[in-house]
Amino acid sequence: MKKIFLYVLACSSFSSFAQQSNNAQLYEDLQSIQVLGTVLHVAAHPDDESTHMLTWFAQEQHWEANYFSCTRGDGGQNLIGDEQGVPLGLLRTQELLAARKIDGAHQYFSQALDFGFSKSTDEALSTWNHELILSNLVWVIRKLQPDIIFTRFPPDARAGHGHHSASAALAIEAYAAAADPKRFPEQLSRGVQTWQAKRLLWNTFRFPGSANNTINENQFKIQIGNFLPALGVSTGELAALSRSQHKCQGFGFAADRGLTTEYFETLAGEAPKQQLWDGVSTSWSRIPGSESVETQLKEIIRSYQWEKPYASVKAMIALKKAIEALPKSTYQEKKLVQVKNWILKAAALYVAGTTQQSTIATGDTLNFKTEIILRSPLTLENVQVKVLQKDTTFTGKINSSRKLIWNAKIPVNQAYTQPYWLQKARNLGNFVVEDPMKIGQADVDPAVKVQLSFQLEGETFTIEKAIQQMFVDPVKGEIYQPIAITPKSVFSLSSQVLLLPIGSKASKSTLVNITAMSTISPGSVQIKNELGEILANISLEKGLKKGEKRSFGITFQESSLKETGKIHHQLSLAYTTERGNWIDSLELHSIEYAHIPTQRYFTGVGLDLIHSPIVSKGKRIGYIRGAGDKVPEALSQMGYQVDFLKESDLKLESLKKYDAIVTGIRAYNTEDYLGNAHPELMKYIENGGNYVVQYNTASFLGPMKAQMSPYPFQVGRSRITRENSQPEFLLASHAVLNQPNKISSEDFQGWVQERSIYLGESSDPHVEFPLGFTDPGEKLEKGNIAVAKYGKGRFIYTGLVFFRELPAAVPGAYRLFANLISNPNSK
């Protein structure tokens, strides 16, 4: 159940610790089987969770600990790459699962989409679909039957984010709704029952670096962080390792090695007086007729041999049978899973299915190896292995190992490997999930699984394992990654946005890059749009070999475009071949980082043409990379040569050839060298340069590395969350609103997710704020664009989310960004 020993080993210099910690973990898991307590933690995003409390419940108290995150974090920012939106949600999901492997808790999600920062509970709930997300949480409560539910946030403005407060409001509603048979009655036909938790608590907080303190000494409090002798670490150390898995959010965390105090406020139910679980039975006595089970388990724990875990297998099988004889209940099912997993670990049974292939197309043959290795004196009998439509049986006893290299064909109608929450087009604020049994599920379903059944000590067991790609890295050794089932071909575009300004008479091309995921026989392929119009005819005289990549250009003439604004094409490939005809319409994406398994997912292939009056000035841009964005591609579409600058390039002599220097998002959070470069950048401005800084964060998680402006200037925490907020032109004649494009309110139509984040602030008279926005019920915010003339040039800071709008092909965002980067001094 808990898998912390591998992570503890990573922190140890003693190679002998692996076997010791494994057997120690088995002993700890025996303790967990003794405890029948379940806790559910509720918050809004990955990294919101109270990791210390989850670790304390799971590792010290041996409860089943669970975290329900309303969203997968799709709307956040990214400190380590350029993934945004759904890809970021996939990355953060895996970081959260990595955290749970360390702290020992389990992970659940709702269908809610993280649509970016929200300033109110009402906005969050209405965007998500209040009733839908409430039903998700009620389902998980009824499924898990937690004794205690606790939130990370309060249901009001103290939460600091509309998603945060909404998660608490949902928890309060769900606490009562889960016990009401009139609420979501359809769930009761799917194997769950109504459930009333004992209490609902709020784990109050005082976050580091924040003035928002919600704790007081009148609240119920406990001390946590004890040292765990069997594991050789404290719960605080494990919590820090868990917390530090949230790498894309910059949540590396220092360990608490001593005791810390946690505070709680009761939101519903009976307030605790002595323990958090006052009034809750956590022993087997809560299941009628389980006295013998408890007696058997205590004897197994008493006689456990650390050096011979397998010596307890026979007794544990007897325990399994005794539990099976009890009346069916949620706890009976949970404990049977725990006992089964414990037996197989104690027997030192290794089961794996591996392949050298990372992807496999439908209709193709998957070559793989299955391994069954028993590393204890026990034996297996009647072993049967199944993969897809094939199976094999080993006769006699297995007391060592069996390895089998074989293959199976992927059915032509097999579903592609797509995260279940992405299989249908999503709504504005939530993912569409058609299978109600998947609600709450954290991870992607494996593409292909090995099914193993066998007898151990006369008892029949079944196991399912995902077939994984296994390869050997010369530095890291064995690497295991998920595999994916794909279409026969996938394709992508070299540019997903083509800028064709009105009247330019320009022509722009994009390459259609086709990858054959399977052998494609001779024939032809047509590139079509959603209207069935043929954009290109391509001959495949020799077909395509598996893995072969071919690129074909499609060109668009500005003079032939009849529509204006953003013109969208949804593309597909229509094949006519000697061996059949079909249509492929998907792009395969991969998210690859060393700290998570490779994530693959599919999207449709869209091309946006921007046919608008867009004028830019200048020819050459120097770009300082930050945390990662796709703004440079947009600059190239605008006709600029984009050079990526390194620290050594930030000297006046090198900089003065550029019409503008632009920093990527969060550059001042991620690049220490910008502090040393400040004097040279200011000389560049003084000599007539145009320096444009995109948003940076201002918090203890993302401190500013250096001064950025020639005058006193700060980055604040204000933001405009409504993407349809109307602009106020505070300095209507200002150059950035008029040259070379005259900006109007129409340029702010069609924006996505939000207007601006981390706005600029300054009281210095040199700093001008030409543009303002207002969120409902709030004051005007004017720090969306800050401009300061200095010498012959100018400094510009913008919190406007160009990093979202330019890849989304918003014409007005291109026009406004062209004004910011167009140097008035350029010819």
Side-chain angles (χ1 to χ4, degrees):
M1 173 180 164
K2 306 178 200 124
K3 303 175 181 176
I4 62 169
F5 59 92
L6 290 177
Y7 296 88
V8 176
L9 173 62
C11 301
S12 171
S13 60
F14 301 101
S15 60
S16 62
F17 191 73
Q19 186 62 35
Q20 174 193 344
S21 59
N22 186 14
N23 293 350
Q25 188 63 61
L26 282 168
Y27 180 78
E28 290 295 305
D29 288 345
L30 281 177
Q31 306 294 330
S32 296
I33 296 172
Q34 274 197 122
V35 179
L36 279 71
T38 301
V39 63
L40 176 64
H41 184 33
V42 179
H45 310 108
D47 73 43
D48 281 348
E49 75 270 29
S50 178
T51 315
H52 283 76
M53 284 304 303
L54 288 173
T55 308
W56 179 77
F57 266 115
Q59 301 295 346
E60 184 175 338
Q61 302 304 318
H62 299 112
W63 280 44
E64 178 195 299
N66 305 280
Y67 175 44
F68 180 93
S69 176
C70 291
T71 76
R72 295 177 183 267
D74 324 79
Q77 282 81 51
N78 186 355
L79 193 64
I80 63 174
D82 61 8
E83 291 84 8
Q84 296 293 333
V86 166
L88 179 59
L90 286 166
L91 168 56
R92 295 184 73 181
T93 292
Q94 292 302 316
E95 290 185 336
L96 205 50
L97 289 171
R100 297 294 80 81
K101 288 178 182 177
I102 296 173
D103 58 43
H106 304 276
Q107 185 60 50
Y108 296 89
F109 290 100
S110 83
Q111 294 171 249
L113 175 70
D114 179 355
F115 57 86
F117 190 85
S118 173
K119 293 182 178 179
S120 74
T121 302
D122 289 344
E123 180 193 31
L125 292 178
S126 62
T127 304
W128 285 346
N129 183 337
H130 184 169
E131 196 75 355
L132 175 68
I133 307 308
L134 176 61
S135 74
N136 292 171
L137 181 51
V138 168
W139 167 258
V140 171
I141 291 173
R142 287 172 171 173
K143 184 177 178 180
L144 298 177
Q145 296 186 356
D147 301 298
I148 299 170
I149 303 172
F150 73 101
T151 69
R152 173 75 287 190
F153 301 104
D156 52 47
R158 291 173 296 173
H161 190 316
H163 294 179
H164 293 170
S165 54
S167 71
L170 287 167
I172 293 170
E173 282 191 82
Y175 174 82
D180 184 352
K182 295 180 182 179
R183 298 292 277 136
F184 312 110
E186 70 283 357
Q187 296 180 357
L188 304 179
S189 64
R190 298 199 291 264
V192 298
Q193 300 174 337
T194 57
W195 180 255
Q196 181 64 75
K198 188 69 174 178
R199 58 182 55 91
L200 173 63
L201 306 170
W202 165 33
N203 184 194
T204 58
F205 54 79
R206 179 176 54 220
F207 295 138
S210 171
N212 190 6
N213 177 22
T214 64
I215 67 173
N216 66 69
E217 291 305 314
N218 293 325
Q219 294 168 347
F220 183 83
K221 52 185 179 289
I222 59 171
Q223 280 197 320
I224 66 172
N226 286 324
F227 184 74
L228 306 175
L231 300 178
V233 291
S234 68
T235 60
E237 289 170 287
L238 288 176
L241 283 171
S242 172
R243 192 79 174 152
S244 297
Q245 300 311 301
H246 297 296
K247 300 182 188 303
C248 71
Q249 302 303 296
F251 268 98
F253 207 78
D256 291 319
R257 293 180 173 83
L259 296 178
T260 58
T261 302
E262 294 285 337
Y263 296 78
F264 294 87
E265 186 174 299
T266 302
L267 300 178
E270 299 177 16
K273 294 181 175 58
Q274 301 297 323
Q275 301 284 351
L276 285 177
W277 50 85
D278 281 352
V280 175
S281 171
T282 62
S283 72
W284 277 87
S285 63
R286 72 188 301 169
I287 299 181
S290 63
E291 294 81 4
S292 64
V293 169
E294 195 161 26
T295 301
Q296 286 176 262
L297 184 53
K298 287 180 179 179
E299 176 56 27
I300 292 169
I301 294 172
R302 187 197 65 77
S303 59
Y304 177 75
Q305 299 181 54
W306 294 68
E307 72 283 7
K308 297 179 180 179
Y310 57 84
S312 298
V313 165
K314 191 169 185 177
M316 286 294 285
I317 289 176
L319 180 71
K320 174 177 174 288
K321 293 179 179 178
I323 297 172
E324 287 173 337
L326 295 174
K328 290 191 178 298
S329 67
T330 297
Y331 263 111
Q332 185 221 29
E333 294 173 3
K334 289 180 179 182
K335 292 304 172 182
L336 281 174
V337 171
Q338 279 186 274
V339 169
K340 172 188 168 182
N341 290 341
W342 193 95
I343 290 170
L344 299 180
K345 288 178 184 177
L349 177 62
Y350 173 83
V351 176
T354 58
T355 179
Q356 295 182 344
Q357 299 166 253
S358 60
T359 60
I360 177 73
T362 55
D364 278 4
T365 298
L366 176 68
N367 300 304
F368 58 92
K369 177 174 70 174
T370 54
E371 294 180 276
I372 306 165
I373 302 175
L374 190 63
R375 297 169 289 184
S376 70
L378 305 177
T379 59
L380 304 182
E381 296 182 84
N382 300 322
V383 177
Q384 185 179 48
V385 185
K386 293 183 179 181
V387 178
L388 294 170
Q389 72 276 17
K390 298 187 69 172
D391 65 79
T392 187
T393 300
F394 296 104
T395 59
K397 296 182 178 180
I398 295 179
N399 55 13
S400 177
S401 66
R402 286 289 189 277
K403 298 182 183 181
L404 182 65
I405 297 175
W406 51 331
N407 59 62
K409 189 173 183 179
I410 304 296
V412 292
N413 60 350
Q414 182 84 8
Y416 308 140
T417 306
Q418 179 83 324
Y420 74 89
W421 60 96
L422 301 182
Q423 290 174 358
K424 299 291 181 181
R426 67 181 186 270
N427 296 320
L428 174 65
N430 56 71
F431 296 106
V432 176
V433 179
E434 292 188 336
D435 183 354
M437 300 305 290
K438 289 193 176 298
I439 299 301
Q441 180 179 315
D443 209 352
V444 180
D445 293 313
V448 183
K449 294 184 286 190
V450 175
Q451 295 176 305
L452 174 69
S453 65
F454 57 89
Q455 286 186 322
L456 174 65
E457 296 289 339
E459 185 73 2
T460 299
F461 291 86
T462 59
I463 299 175
E464 285 190 338
K465 290 279 188 176
I467 290 184
Q468 295 181 297
Q469 180 195 21
M470 193 281 279
F471 60 94
V472 178
D473 182 276
V475 175
K476 299 176 182 178
E478 284 188 357
I479 302 292
Y480 293 83
Q481 293 289 2
I483 65 172
I485 296 172
T486 74
K488 290 182 179 297
S489 74
V490 294
F491 69 110
S492 63
L493 303 177
S494 60
S495 297
Q496 292 178 304
V497 178
L498 297 181
L499 182 60
L500 293 160
I502 289 177
S504 65
K505 299 182 180 180
S507 66
K508 288 280 183 75
S509 299
T510 185
L511 291 177
V512 179
N513 305 307
I514 301 175
T515 301
M517 307 303 289
S518 177
T519 299
I520 297 175
S521 57
S524 64
V525 60
Q526 295 178 328
I527 303 173
K528 295 183 175 182
N529 66 12
E530 72 282 1
L531 299 176
E533 298 171 339
I534 299 172
L535 303 181
N537 283 292
I538 300 165
S539 175
L540 301 175
E541 294 181 359
K542 298 181 179 179
L544 295 173
K545 297 177 182 178
K546 182 177 180 178
E548 185 176 354
K549 298 181 180 181
R550 297 278 298 277
S551 296
F552 307 93
I554 51 175
T555 302
F556 296 86
Q557 304 287 339
E558 186 271 329
S559 58
S560 67
L561 298 178
K562 298 178 181 178
E563 299 175 66
T564 60
K566 176 178 174 179
I567 305 168
H568 182 75
H569 291 285
Q570 198 66 32
L571 306 184
S572 62
L573 305 178
Y575 287 90
T576 303
T577 74
E578 294 175 356
R579 295 190 177 180
N581 308 328
W582 72 93
I583 294 175
D584 284 337
S585 59
L586 298 176
E587 179 176 1
L588 174 61
H589 305 267
S590 293
I591 302 172
E592 300 185 45
Y593 291 97
H595 67 293
I596 65 166
T598 297
Q599 298 298 293
R600 297 182 179 91
Y601 68 102
F602 297 96
T603 63
V605 181
L607 173 65
D608 290 313
L609 310 180
I610 300 179
H611 190 217
S612 295
I614 299 175
V615 180
S616 57
K617 194 174 182 181
K619 297 179 180 179
R620 197 169 183 182
I621 301 290
Y623 203 86
I624 301 171
R625 292 185 189 271
D629 59 60
K630 297 180 180 179
V631 170
E633 290 90 330
L635 293 172
S636 296
Q637 279 297 316
M638 293 165 70
Y640 290 103
Q641 175 184 326
V642 181
D643 298 336
F644 293 102
L645 306 182
K646 303 183 294 294
E647 180 178 6
S648 58
D649 299 319
L650 302 185
K651 306 292 183 184
L652 178 60
E653 285 305 308
S654 298
L655 297 177
K656 63 184 181 181
K657 62 178 176 249
Y658 294 108
D659 296 289
I661 306 297
V662 180
T663 70
I665 61 174
R666 290 189 176 185
Y668 277 87
N669 299 128
T670 62
E671 304 301 338
D672 292 316
Y673 64 76
L674 285 174
N676 297 329
H678 182 72
E680 295 296 308
L681 288 167
M682 296 305 103
K683 289 178 186 176
Y684 164 76
I685 300 173
E686 191 174 15
N687 280 269
N690 190 41
Y691 185 42
V692 180
V693 177
Q694 295 185 79
Y695 96 91
N696 288 266
T697 62
S699 71
F700 70 96
L701 293 175
M704 303 289 290
K705 303 287 187 182
Q707 182 182 354
M708 63 176 67
S709 165
Y711 303 109
F713 184 83
Q714 300 82 39
V715 174
R717 301 285 293 170
S718 299
R719 59 178 77 203
I720 299 296
T721 64
R722 298 295 179 97
E723 62 269 25
N724 57 0
S725 175
Q726 291 302 302
E728 293 190 40
F729 300 108
L730 305 177
L731 301 174
S733 61
H734 199 284
V736 297
L737 299 178
N738 291 275
Q739 300 172 8
N741 300 288
K742 175 68 175 177
I743 302 301
S744 71
S745 59
E746 291 183 2
D747 290 301
F748 294 94
Q749 295 178 3
W751 283 48
V752 299
Q753 184 161 321
E754 58 204 344
R755 285 290 191 208
S756 57
I757 53 179
Y758 302 103
L759 305 186
E761 299 175 353
S762 179
S763 58
D764 190 283
H766 295 92
V767 182
E768 301 171 313
F769 298 99
L771 184 66
F773 294 97
T774 306
D775 268 339
E778 298 191 356
K779 67 180 180 65
L780 175 73
E781 296 288 358
K782 64 179 185 177
N784 309 277
I785 298 174
V787 185
K789 294 179 181 178
Y790 182 65
K792 299 177 182 178
R794 66 183 184 182
F795 162 81
I796 297 175
Y797 174 86
T798 179
L800 292 169
V801 289
F802 290 108
F803 72 100
R804 298 194 196 280
E805 310 311 320
L806 299 178
V810 177
Y814 274 82
R815 285 168 45 81
L816 180 54
F817 201 68
N819 284 13
L820 299 187
I821 61 176
S822 294
N823 192 332
N825 297 315
S826 297
K827 295 181 181 180

